[in-house]
Amino acid sequence: FVESFPTTLSGKIQKFRMREIEIREQRRDQRSAVLAGFLGWTFDAFDFFVLTFLIADIGRAFGKSRPEVALTLTLTLAMRPVGALIFGIMSDRFGRRLPMTINIVFYAVVSALSGLAPTFQVFVFLRMLFGIGMGGQWGVSASLALESISPRWRGVISGLLHQGYSLGNLLAALAFLTVYPAMQSRDPEYAWRVMFFLGGLPALLSIFVLVRVKESAAWSEHRMDWRSYVKSLPAVWKRFLYLVLLLTVMGFISHGTQDLYPTFLLQQRKFSQQLTAVTTMISMVGAIFGGLVIGYCSDRFGRRAMFLRALYSASATMAVAAFATQPWHIAAAFGLQGLFSGFNPAATALISVTVP
């Protein structure tokens, strides 16, 4: 026994070290998956919201009215279901990692090309293509990130992930506050185009995804052949329709108040460009705070309860955001966007434990 004791102890120490290395690698993979999903969604949102600050300038460049330019936002959102379907099927068939990489490169390139559009018709077409990329990003990135972590942390992580959307809007406002005036002073006619060129930078994120992010173990475990995949769809059609209706209502509320809010401040409230950008940035800080808090609370008090509380609270603040005077606009936007962002991650966490 005395002679074998050192050998036994050494074996246990070696097993402990191997387990420690395994846990460290697992946590690193989890951080990489969450970071990739967060950044992918952040840059996607930047490329979308940058247009909301440039509606008047694009209208002047192409000789179009504000409603005509604003229609491109609607067409972009209308193409999101197409992208969600295409990249969703790809992610179920080929894994999360490759479709996510393709998606990032696609929407980044299309965003940069939007700045080169020679006519309004080409610009609209490119924004519709961007909508396909935008629609595919969230489902793939959320699946990759949430499948990489423990289910008990999905509320917090879904809250963190969704704040990439708020951060993207904040960065768009920051670019409008800093980059845009500098470009406008040098070349007023092409300043808006430079803003879209910035949207091409996320293509570099694809390198990080390919190098650092590992494939979802959950997908590898539950992958199935194409015939079995198609046969499994009728069994979940009722749940599918329910989730489509749920997300449609959420999109109607959030995009119905967010997308033209900068234009509302510029045109109806006569805010300066700087004040509009600062107001948007403050509101996105509120969104980030609200999303993280309500995401955490959804882990403790339930997904449905926090989703409904945040949704009802957000609805109650809409009138304040629309009719308040200048000081109240900032405070109302802060609370409104925070509450909106709160029900989104709660719903995402709910979907992650509802869908097979």
Side-chain angles (χ1 to χ4, degrees):
F1 172 79
V2 175
E3 293 179 356
S4 63
F5 179 75
T7 303
T8 304
L9 180 61
S10 176
K12 289 183 177 180
I13 293 175
Q14 186 175 5
K15 289 182 179 179
F16 176 78
R17 289 178 176 174
M18 291 178 63
R19 178 57 180 167
E20 188 178 13
I21 294 173
E22 182 181 344
I23 293 175
R24 192 182 301 120
E25 290 179 350
Q26 184 181 24
R27 289 177 177 174
R28 183 192 62 194
D29 295 339
Q30 290 174 341
R31 287 194 297 268
S32 297
V34 172
L35 180 61
F38 179 83
L39 292 179
W41 194 223
T42 296
F43 294 132
D44 193 355
F46 174 90
D47 291 351
F48 174 78
F49 281 109
V50 74
L51 174 57
T52 67
F53 295 95
L54 304 172
I55 289 177
D57 288 354
I58 295 173
R60 284 192 294 269
F62 292 119
K64 301 294 181 180
S65 64
R66 285 195 298 271
E68 288 177 304
V69 178
L71 180 62
T72 60
L73 294 171
T74 302
L75 295 175
T76 298
L77 295 175
M79 297 303 291
R80 285 185 65 175
V82 178
L85 179 63
I86 293 174
F87 285 97
I89 293 175
M90 286 178 62
S91 68
D92 282 340
R93 289 286 293 148
F94 306 110
R96 319 304 192 194
R97 185 166 162 266
L98 179 60
M100 183 178 179
T101 303
I102 296 173
N103 178 272
I104 292 172
V105 174
F106 177 77
Y107 79 67
V109 171
V110 171
S111 180
L113 290 176
S114 298
L116 298 174
T119 65
F120 184 67
Q121 290 74 18
V122 174
F123 180 79
V124 171
F125 175 71
L126 289 170
R127 297 315 292 174
M128 291 176 68
L129 289 180
F130 173 76
I132 295 176
M134 184 182 184
Q137 175 58 212
W138 173 247
V140 178
S141 61
S143 297
L144 177 63
L146 295 181
E147 288 172 354
S148 302
I149 61 172
S150 170
R152 66 191 182 96
W153 292 107
R154 286 180 180 173
V156 174
I157 298 301
S158 64
L160 174 64
L161 281 176
H162 208 281
Q163 297 334 296
Y165 199 64
S166 303
L167 181 59
N169 196 349
L170 189 153
L171 292 177
L174 181 62
F176 186 66
L177 179 66
T178 57
V179 178
Y180 183 72
M183 294 298 101
Q184 195 174 40
S185 63
R186 297 184 61 181
D187 196 336
E189 294 185 2
Y190 286 87
W192 67 269
R193 296 181 181 273
V194 175
M195 298 288 282
F196 286 104
F197 295 158
L198 295 177
L201 296 178
L204 299 175
L205 178 61
S206 62
I207 301 175
F208 173 81
V209 175
L210 286 174
V211 174
R212 294 295 303 272
V213 178
K214 289 189 175 182
E215 187 53 79
S216 166
W219 173 82
S220 301
E221 182 180 349
H222 296 97
R223 64 183 303 184
M224 60 181 69
D225 59 81
W226 180 249
R227 181 173 298 180
S228 300
Y229 178 78
V230 173
K231 287 183 178 180
S232 68
L233 296 179
V236 297
W237 72 270
K238 290 183 179 180
R239 190 179 303 172
F240 172 75
L241 292 179
Y242 160 72
L243 293 175
V244 168
L245 179 61
L246 175 66
L247 294 176
T248 298
V249 172
M250 289 169 55
F252 180 82
I253 295 173
S254 58
H255 284 285
T257 55
Q258 287 180 358
D259 296 356
L260 292 178
Y261 198 67
T263 302
F264 169 75
L265 295 179
L266 287 167
Q267 301 300 324
Q268 270 65 44
R269 296 305 181 193
K270 306 302 180 183
F271 277 26
S272 65
Q273 292 181 359
Q274 291 76 14
L275 187 55
T276 298
V278 170
T279 301
T280 302
M281 292 169 66
I282 292 175
S283 71
M284 289 302 102
V285 171
I288 293 171
F289 176 77
L292 292 175
V293 170
I294 296 179
Y296 170 77
C297 290
S298 72
D299 278 334
R300 299 206 55 187
F301 306 113
R303 324 293 192 195
R304 295 177 186 273
M306 295 311 303
F307 169 77
L308 292 174
R309 289 174 186 174
L311 182 61
Y312 293 152
S313 300
S315 300
T317 62
M318 287 183 186
V320 180
F323 297 107
T325 56
Q326 179 171 321
W328 283 98
H329 268 109
I330 297 177
F334 186 103
L336 179 65
Q337 299 298 339
L339 293 168
F340 275 151
S341 186
F343 73 69
N344 278 309
T348 301
L350 176 63
I351 292 172
S352 70
V353 297
T354 302
V355 179

